[in-house]
Amino acid sequence: MKTFRCGDVVPGCQREFLGADRDAVLAQVAEHARADHHVEPDPALVRAVEANLHDAPERD
Ligand SMILES: [Zn+2]
């Protein structure tokens, strides 16, 4: 699982995302960017997300 914290890119945003892989997280972030930041996802956004993508701690 991968996680991404929007606040790492957009100061003040509290949204966090959890997905099975990079693409799953990116899909959620793209939707959030459009809905809440009124930003169209572009290559720069994809790079910013990839740069701040973390492995989720395994829980069992
Ligand atoms: Zn955000």
Side-chain angles (χ1 to χ4, degrees):
M1 299 290 278
K2 297 283 187 186
T3 64
F4 170 72
R5 231 187 297 266
C6 192
D8 287 346
V9 174
V10 182
C13 186
Q14 302 296 314
R15 281 291 300 273
E16 290 184 37
F17 303 91
L18 178 67
D21 56 21
R22 166 194 172 280
D23 288 349
V25 173
L26 272 173
Q28 296 174 53
V29 175
E31 201 172 301
H32 167 66
R34 280 199 198 95
D36 297 322
H37 296 301
H38 308 291
V39 164
E40 243 349 90
D42 61 9
L45 181 142
V46 172
R47 276 197 300 276
V49 172
E50 285 177 332
N52 291 281
L53 209 54
H54 301 290
D55 287 315
E58 296 293 334
R59 273 191 220 124
D60 45 24

